[in-house]
Amino acid sequence: MGYRNTLPVIIVRTAILIPTFILGCLCIVFTQWVSLILFRNSPSTTNSIIGTTKTHFVILLGLLTSIVNPCKIAVTVDVDSVPHSQQFKVDSSLNLHTFLDPNSVIISNHQIYTDWLFLWFLTYTSNLSNAVFIILKDLSKIPVLGYGMTNFNFLFLSRKWAKDKIVLTNQLLEIDANARGLGPANGVQLVSSKSTSADIDIKKWPTGKNPRKDQKLWPYELILFPEGTVPSDRTTKKSAEYVLSKGYPPLKHVLLPRVRGLFLALKKLRNSVEEVYDITTAYSDLKADEYGEIKFSLKNFYLRGYGPPVINYFIRAYKIKDIPLGDEDEDDIDETSDESLQKFEKWLLKIWYEKDELMNNFYETGEWNANAYDTRTVIGDFKLKNKWEIVRPYLPISTLALFLYFTYRFVIVLIKSRLGSA
């Protein structure tokens, strides 16, 4: 046990970081709230500010996480499939720089509850943290954070497919329309709203791409976990039983992925998405027979200071044209032909079994041993590019506070001067 994990350090660290985090979240939400009021008639400005607050949040949580659990990020890329792989680098200060394409979907196996943060941080190293959207369970009811993430337009799941497919469809179509410059972020109006068999409206946006150069295109990085949850005794057993019932080979280290959510996402984004990044995630100091949700639980991670020393990524990329999505353009994903869905499932399962083999190699040797790939590895620190970036989340409300203070002082001086002259 290091000094970071001793009780006095835990108490002092927690007493400082929790108020810092809460205040930062309040500042971010305040910035969002003000922008939604002041720029309600300027959707482009509002969308830009909301994107900025996304970066503010990953800066805030990223810095606090790096203080609690300083670690490294080791990124191994498949040179043949990942565009710009030679531009993945580490500078002299050990800052990681990546080059992810905009308008991309990031899929990964799920290990611990903070997976989404580390992947979001990965987009930060590509200067795309303001364009992130995450599909995750419904967090909208959490005080402050829920309001902020709702404004981020994160895609919340209720775990009820009949409802989720409609909510996801509309949000994905909006993200796609904005990426083409023909969505609500540019003030574009809906073409129509078509009811499905369940009498729920599906929003329709203009097709094509906005030819006007004065209209901004809004890129995105969509992060989702096809497994839907982290490995545990219950989920691993349930996955193994389903694998057995389907007659598939057993999976050792990953859960069987769910097909429909990713299929829906790629179908609705197919007019704008450029790449699908498949990221295999493994954490150093986590053994094959251990569950990350237990060893690196939120309590152990943020209170006790026990986290992985290295976050290991193996990245492959797939062009959207090479992914079997079928030719149908259904409003209801459940109307997709069985043949199209089976082809996509076969494609996804191939990736997941290869991922399972990569994980097996990592657990046995501590390395990916991906001999079938031409790879390149860079290792940097999990940290901000500049420590002074931490002032950014607090800057808008600090500026307002100073403005109000000096206005107050000016008014007081003015009143005194008039009383004195009287």
Side-chain angles (χ1 to χ4, degrees):
M1 181 175 69
Y3 77 95
R4 293 189 304 103
N5 312 115
T6 59
L7 185 60
V9 172
I10 290 174
I11 293 173
V12 173
R13 181 177 62 212
T14 303
I16 294 174
L17 296 189
I18 287 182
T20 301
F21 177 68
I22 293 174
L23 179 60
C25 289
L26 289 172
C27 290
I28 290 170
V29 166
F30 175 80
T31 302
Q32 293 178 340
W33 180 72
V34 170
S35 69
L36 290 171
I37 293 176
L38 295 182
F39 304 107
R40 59 182 178 274
N41 295 322
S42 179
S44 180
T45 302
T46 300
N47 205 59
S48 181
I49 294 174
I50 294 297
T52 298
T53 61
K54 289 182 180 182
T55 298
H56 288 175
F57 184 75
V58 79
I59 285 174
L60 174 66
L61 191 52
L63 177 65
L64 299 186
T65 301
S66 68
I67 292 173
V68 175
N69 283 294
C71 64
K72 294 186 177 296
I73 300 182
V75 178
T76 300
V77 291
D78 171 23
V79 172
D80 293 330
S81 69
V82 177
H84 322 295
S85 58
Q86 296 302 323
Q87 297 187 48
F88 284 57
K89 61 184 179 180
V90 174
D91 62 25
S92 58
S93 299
L94 294 181
N95 290 304
L96 178 66
H97 299 271
T98 63
F99 202 124
L100 300 176
D101 277 337
N103 296 350
S104 300
V105 173
I106 297 173
I107 61 175
S108 173
N109 57 309
H110 214 350
Q111 291 277 285
I112 60 179
Y113 290 123
T114 48
D115 284 334
W116 59 271
L117 167 63
F118 295 126
L119 290 177
W120 194 353
F121 186 86
L122 193 65
T123 69
Y124 164 81
T125 66
S126 284
N127 297 318
L128 287 169
S129 56
N130 64 329
V132 163
F133 297 89
I134 306 177
I135 299 180
L136 71 171
K137 69 177 183 179
D138 193 351
L139 302 176
S140 61
K141 300 298 189 295
I142 299 177
V144 183
L145 280 176
Y147 176 79
M149 289 189 176
T150 300
N151 290 332
F152 288 161
N153 202 24
F154 281 0
L155 297 83
F156 294 135
L157 300 178
S158 67
R159 305 301 187 188
K160 297 178 181 179
W161 177 245
K163 176 184 177 181
D164 287 340
K165 67 179 180 180
I166 303 300
V167 173
L168 288 178
T169 294
N170 282 329
Q171 286 186 271
L172 290 164
L173 289 175
E174 183 177 309
I175 291 170
D176 171 72
N178 284 333
R180 295 182 288 107
L182 293 170
N186 283 342
V188 176
Q189 299 298 311
L190 284 169
V191 171
S192 65
S193 187
K194 180 180 178 180
S195 294
T196 66
S197 56
D199 295 326
I200 302 177
D201 288 344
I202 296 295
K203 298 176 182 178
K204 294 288 186 180
W205 300 96
T207 58
K209 192 172 183 178
N210 196 336
R212 291 176 52 185
K213 293 184 178 180
D214 61 331
Q215 292 282 47
K216 183 175 179 179
L217 303 181
W218 301 89
Y220 57 83
E221 292 289 321
L222 178 67
I223 298 173
L224 64 95
F225 302 96
E227 293 166 325
T229 187
V230 296
S232 66
D233 281 335
R234 181 184 64 84
T235 59
T236 300
K237 180 180 178 181
K238 186 176 179 180
S239 175
E241 289 174 348
Y242 188 75
V243 166
L244 182 63
S245 70
K246 299 287 287 186
Y248 298 152
L251 289 165
K252 296 180 181 179
H253 309 294
V254 296
L255 304 178
L256 193 71
R258 301 174 185 181
V259 175
R260 290 183 181 271
L262 178 59
F263 187 69
L264 172 63
L266 296 182
K267 289 278 282 188
K268 299 309 175 184
L269 296 175
R270 69 189 306 175
N271 292 319
S272 58
V273 66
E274 297 179 6
E275 306 282 348
V276 174
Y277 290 104
D278 168 52
I279 299 182
T280 302
T281 303
Y283 295 99
S284 295
D285 204 27
L286 182 65
K287 299 176 182 178
D289 60 349
E290 295 176 324
Y291 293 125
E293 70 153 351
I294 295 176
K295 184 163 187 175
F296 301 134
S297 66
L298 294 179
K299 182 178 180 180
N300 284 338
F301 198 105
Y302 282 107
L303 291 182
R304 297 175 177 170
Y306 290 108
V310 184
I311 304 162
N312 302 273
Y313 290 135
F314 186 88
I315 305 179
R316 300 177 291 179
Y318 298 88
K319 296 289 186 183
I320 192 67
K321 64 181 179 63
D322 296 326
I323 300 175
L325 295 173
D327 298 324
E328 306 94 335
D329 187 23
E330 314 87 350
D331 292 314
D332 191 334
I333 193 68
D334 289 336
E335 296 175 359
T336 301
S337 68
D338 291 338
E339 181 182 2
S340 294
L341 205 55
Q342 288 170 4
K343 287 182 178 179
F344 180 79
E345 182 179 32
K346 183 178 180 181
W347 173 82
L348 183 59
L349 288 180
K350 180 178 182 295
I351 290 175
W352 237 250
Y353 276 93
E354 292 169 349
K355 188 184 295 291
D356 194 54
E357 182 63 27
L358 286 167
M359 291 293 291
N360 191 65
N361 293 342
F362 188 87
Y363 282 129
E364 288 185 352
T365 68
E367 298 178 355
W368 298 115
N369 290 335
N371 298 324
Y373 304 90
D374 180 13
T375 63
R376 182 169 184 267
T377 300
V378 293
I379 303 175
D381 289 336
F382 178 78
K383 65 178 183 179
L384 301 184
K385 301 169 188 175
N386 186 320
K387 62 182 180 181
W388 294 109
E389 280 193 300
I390 190 57
V391 305
R392 292 179 59 185
Y394 305 94
L395 194 57
I397 196 169
S398 300
T399 302
L400 177 62
L402 286 173
F403 172 77
L404 293 176
Y405 172 76
F406 285 116
T407 300
Y408 168 77
R409 297 296 301 172
F410 175 77
V411 170
I412 293 298
V413 170
L414 185 63
I415 292 174
K416 288 182 175 179
S417 64
R418 289 188 175 183
L419 289 176
S421 61

